[in-house]
């Protein structure tokens, strides 16, 4: 059988068929006990396999180089995804809003079900190795009881006065979040539909921020109207939070300052 085939692919296919044939013949020789024939076939098989390796290497050298694809972005952990969203908002937020902000501005998928145990995981990690991480995701603290605020996540590196929420804080934080989202949307192209839908959700909750008839939404208008209402509430909310933060610094330490006090502990410190 002639192996002088010009096309590398055809040459490799002929070698593969020859290797298959030799393997079959070698198996039959070994089965019948023909050791001399088996040795001859085994040597021929090794030569054919070597020729196949050489031909394949030659084919690889002849083939045009494939441009390298851009490396896939690194997969972020859930805590990093939440940290990014909260850093944009700069205020405590509920999981639903955190997911909406992440989906609007950041790549990847943030799964709601995985947020349910995140705070507990963070607290356990802190107790095992206190301050072993650059930051922790922790609950906001209620201004009255300094206990974990239900359904609100914050970042441990924020000032305590930011992590404490009082009677006006929900509205104040909503307005601050709206301003930050509006400022980010203003930097994006017009076809950033997810980000603009999120901005629209904020705008519908702020008087004068949404366009008449529900057509479009202007980031500058949203930020301006949110700031106008924020100016009304800021002083009172800041005073409430500062007072609560002072009590927290006096009564709480360690994990409690991050993850909230238990009711039994508060009763003891109050006496």
């Amino acid at each position: 059988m002639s192996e002088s085939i010009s096309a590398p692919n055809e040459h490799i296919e002929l070698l593969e068929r020859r290797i298959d044939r030799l393997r079959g013949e070698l198996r039959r020789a070994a089965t019948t006990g023909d050791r001399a024939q088996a040795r001859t076939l085994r040597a021929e098989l090794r030569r054919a396999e070597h020729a196949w390796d050489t031909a394949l290497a030659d084919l690889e050298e002849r083939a045009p180089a494939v441009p390298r694809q851009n490396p896939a972005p690194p997969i972020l952990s859930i805590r990093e995804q939440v940290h990014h969203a909260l850093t944009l908002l700069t205020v405590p937020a509920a999981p639903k809003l955190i997911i909406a902000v992440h989906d609007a501005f950041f790549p990847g998928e943030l799964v709601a079900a995985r947020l349910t145990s995140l705070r507990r995981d963070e607290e356990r990690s802190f107790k095992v190795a206190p301050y072993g991480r650059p930051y922790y995701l922790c609950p906001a603290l209620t201004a009255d009881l300094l206990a974990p605020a239900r359904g609100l996540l914050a970042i441990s590196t924020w000032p305590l006065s930011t992590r404490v929420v009082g009677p006006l804080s929900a509205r104040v934080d909503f307005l601050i979040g709206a301003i930050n989202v509006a400022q980010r949307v203003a930097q994006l192209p017009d076809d950033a539909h997810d980000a603009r839908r999120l901005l629209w959700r904020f705008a519908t909750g702020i008087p004068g921020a949404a366009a008449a008839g529900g057509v479009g939404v202007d980031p500058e208008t949203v930020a301006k109207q949110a700031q106008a209402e924020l100016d009304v509430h800021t002083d009172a909310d800041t005073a409430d939070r500062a007072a609560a933060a002072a009590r927290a610094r006096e009564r709480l330490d360690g994990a409690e300052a991050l993850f909230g006090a238990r009711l039994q502990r508060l009763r003891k410190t109050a006496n």
Side-chain angles (χ1 to χ4, degrees), residues 90-169:
T90 73
V91 290
K96 186 175 181 180
L97 177 56
I98 291 171
I99 292 171
V101 170
H102 176 273
D103 290 347
F105 296 106
F106 302 105
E109 182 182 8
L110 183 55
V111 182
R114 297 178 61 194
L115 269 69
T116 56
S117 61
L118 180 61
R119 187 193 66 77
R120 293 192 298 272
D121 294 341
E122 292 286 285
E123 185 172 3
R124 281 195 293 267
S125 175
F126 180 87
K127 289 180 177 179
V128 170
Y131 305 105
R133 293 176 170 179
Y135 66 86
Y136 291 87
L137 300 174
C138 53
L141 305 182
T142 60
D144 53 354
L145 296 177
L146 304 179
R150 184 177 179 83
L152 288 178
L153 284 174
I155 302 176
S156 63
T157 54
W158 288 348
L160 192 51
S161 57
T162 300
R163 293 190 288 110
V164 172
V165 291
L168 295 172
S169 298

Side-chain angles (χ1 to χ4, degrees), residues 212-265:
V215 179
V217 59
D218 176 48
E220 184 177 351
T221 300
V222 174
K224 180 180 178 180
Q225 295 301 115
Q227 186 63 56
E229 184 181 346
L230 184 62
D231 291 340
V232 175
H233 303 302
T234 295
D235 289 345
D237 181 62
T238 300
D240 289 341
R241 286 174 132 159
R247 285 190 293 107
R249 282 189 288 270
E250 178 183 335
R251 300 183 184 186
L252 307 181
D253 56 14
E256 289 182 337
L258 295 181
F259 299 98
R262 299 296 178 259
L263 185 58
Q264 296 84 348
R265 157 82 165 160

Side-chain angles (χ1 to χ4, degrees), residues 20 84 241:
D20 289 340
H84 285 174
R241 286 174 132 159

